[in-house]
Amino acid sequence: QGQQRVSSAFVVIVGVGTTGSAAATMLFRAGVERLRLVDGACVRSTGWQSMSSKGILGAPKALVLRRALAAIRPGCEIDAVTENFTAGSAAEILGPTSDGHSPDLVLDCTGRPRSRADVITYAGAR
């Protein structure tokens, strides 16, 4: 029953740099099958989260991580949002999946205080 709750959970991770990509990988390997990865930044370093390979420099972090996770467990639902989280985008980014499932967990892994405040404000009101 516990593993079923984990696998059916929908987790949104805002910021998929070093901390967010590690959190996403651990949750995914633990059995979470629905992730939404949110980050407007692009890969700037070949050492980013030890996923250095040809062709990722300059690519959106959320897309690179989605591709890496999909290679581990194909068939899972992984949304990649390639924009920064703002108060104006909160409702859409933290909104439900296409089948109406609202996030069970929202992780703020950004380094920006304004984004962190917006995540807390929006998620806390839900």
Side-chain angles (χ1 to χ4, degrees), residues 8 10 34 36 77 79 94-104:
S8 66
F10 170 37
R34 288 181 173 192
R36 182 172 294 154
E77 185 179 331
D79 299 331
L94 298 182
T97 60
S98 58
D99 66 356
H101 191 122
S102 293
D104 297 295

Side-chain angles (χ1 to χ4, degrees), residues 36-123:
R36 182 172 294 154
L37 311 170
V38 183
D39 201 313
C42 293
V43 177
R44 294 183 296 182
S45 167
T46 56
W48 178 71
Q49 189 48 30
S50 301
M51 285 194 248
S52 58
S53 64
K54 292 182 180 185
I56 69 165
L57 285 178
K61 289 179 182 181
L63 293 178
V64 171
L65 184 56
R66 179 180 68 185
R67 189 175 353 163
L69 293 175
I72 295 168
R73 268 195 5 247
C76 292
E77 185 179 331
I78 308 169
D79 299 331
V81 178
T82 57
E83 63 183 77
N84 288 322
F85 185 90
T86 64
S89 65
E92 182 178 344
I93 289 175
L94 298 182
T97 60
S98 58
D99 66 356
H101 191 122
S102 293
D104 297 295
L105 178 66
V106 177
L107 295 179
D108 169 43
C109 297
T110 67
R112 295 185 317 262
R114 180 73 252 162
S115 292
R116 180 165 290 135
D118 290 340
V119 169
I120 291 168
T121 299
Y122 189 84

